[in-house]
């Protein structure tokens, strides 16, 4: 005789992945706050370099363990992916310095919408009803966010939105590369190119980090790693279409951090725009079969042939 699983056993399992997804979102919001503080202590170019270089160092053991070759016939695509992702990171970090924390995070979180748009225009994917709805909602949401009296109606706001577009281009390029390149090869090439490219502007205004600055740099890496570990664990316990929308709770955490740390308060029109863009992002995310991308300073999951692989992509 078989027994059905008790209903009470469902709650702990759901609570597990929901808690992990929320913890991940909180860590990424804390990481954004640490990036802001680190950029106030050090030149932004230096923070970008350390973020890329530390990520590369973490990748090298993975490259050796999996014995992946870096030989490629798609170097031009690797270059496009790296330079667009690096540009997105510079603009995102700039936005974190000059905008409300939640606003900068939100503008970068428009990347899934741009991925859907680039996938249609470049990869010739179908223009589904979900994508049309997401585009409409995002346009209305952006119009509300960028009204003339809003704080986002500025150079920093435009550059923050550009970070989302460039991140979308970078991740669309990853999708193109995935047809022929190993996932580890893709992320290592990004680490190499972005580290070399970000080293040049860093040398121009290099400043040796002092005690507190080292602490904030370490905190950026720590919260990024904790967030990624929690996100990977959540993806192992529930479908991607259920986990991905919880990433947008990072906007709430960023709003709370911004309010208590810097006294930041959104206006009602901005909140309405934020809700519409969040709905648009969730609409696209729930259509995807692979994990939704994270902000440039995060360490997204790549889905490999053997399952979910915890490796940084930008």
């Amino acid at each position: 005789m078989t027994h059905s699983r008790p209903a009470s056993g469902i709650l702990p399992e759901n609570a597990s992945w929901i808690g992990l997804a929320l913890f991940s979102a909180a860590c990424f919001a804390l990481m954004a706050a640490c990036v802001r503080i680190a950029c106030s202590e050090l030149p932004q170019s230096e923070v970008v370099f350390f973020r890329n270089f530390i990520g590369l160092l973490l990748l090298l053991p993975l490259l050796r363990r999996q014995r992946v070759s870096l030989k490629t016939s798609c170097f031009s695509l690797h270059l496009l992916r790296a330079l667009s992702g690096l540009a997105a990171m510079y603009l995102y970090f700039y936005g974190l310095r000059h905008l409300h924390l939640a606003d900068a995070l939100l503008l970068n979180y428009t990347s899934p919408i741009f991925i859907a748009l680039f996938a249609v225009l470049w990869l010739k994917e179908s223009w589904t009803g979900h994508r049309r709805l997401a585009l409409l909602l995002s346009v209305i949401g952006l119009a509300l966010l960028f009204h003339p009296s809003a704080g986002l109606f500025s150079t920093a706001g435009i550059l923050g939105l550009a970070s989302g577009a460039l991140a979308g281009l970078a991740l669309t390029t990853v999708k193109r590369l995935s047809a022929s390149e190993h996932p580890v090869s893709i992320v290592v090439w990004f680490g190499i190119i972005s580290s070399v490219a970000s080293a040049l502007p860093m040398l121009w205004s290099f400043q040796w980090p002092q005690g507190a600055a080292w602490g904030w740099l370490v905190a950026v890496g720590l919260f990024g790693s904790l967030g990624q570990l929690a996100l990977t664990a959540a993806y192992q316990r529930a479908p991607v279409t259920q986990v991905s929308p919880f990433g947008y709770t990072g906007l709430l955490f960023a709003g709370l951090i911004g309010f208590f740390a810097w006294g930041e308060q959104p206006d009602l029109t901005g909140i309405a725009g934020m809700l519409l863009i969040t709905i648009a992002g969730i609409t696209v995310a729930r259509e995807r079969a692979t994990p939704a991308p994270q902000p440039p300073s995060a360490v997204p999951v790549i889905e490999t042939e053997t399952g979910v692989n915890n490796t940084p992509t930008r």
Side-chain angles (χ1 to χ4, degrees), residues 26-36 51 96 219-221 223-224 295 297-298:
C27 284
F28 287 135
L30 286 167
M31 182 181 61
C34 291
V35 167
R36 171 184 283 186
R51 186 68 187 93
L96 288 173
V220 170
F223 284 121
S297 55

Side-chain angles (χ1 to χ4, degrees), residues 89-112:
M89 188 180 299
Y90 276 112
L91 297 180
Y92 176 55
F93 284 15
Y94 182 86
L96 288 173
R97 290 181 61 194
H98 298 281
L99 298 172
H100 286 185
L101 201 68
D103 288 342
L105 206 66
L106 172 68
L107 292 177
N108 191 257
Y109 272 23
T110 60
S111 60

Side-chain angles (χ1 to χ4, degrees), residues 209-257:
Q210 300 302 314
W214 278 119
W216 291 116
L217 288 175
V218 170
V220 170
L222 176 63
F223 284 121
S225 298
L226 287 175
Q228 186 53 54
L229 289 172
L231 184 62
T232 302
Y235 279 133
Q236 291 172 342
R237 289 167 171 78
V240 168
T241 52
Q242 293 182 24
V243 176
S244 293
F246 278 85
Y248 285 88
T249 60
L251 297 173
L252 175 61
F253 292 119
L256 291 173
I257 294 171

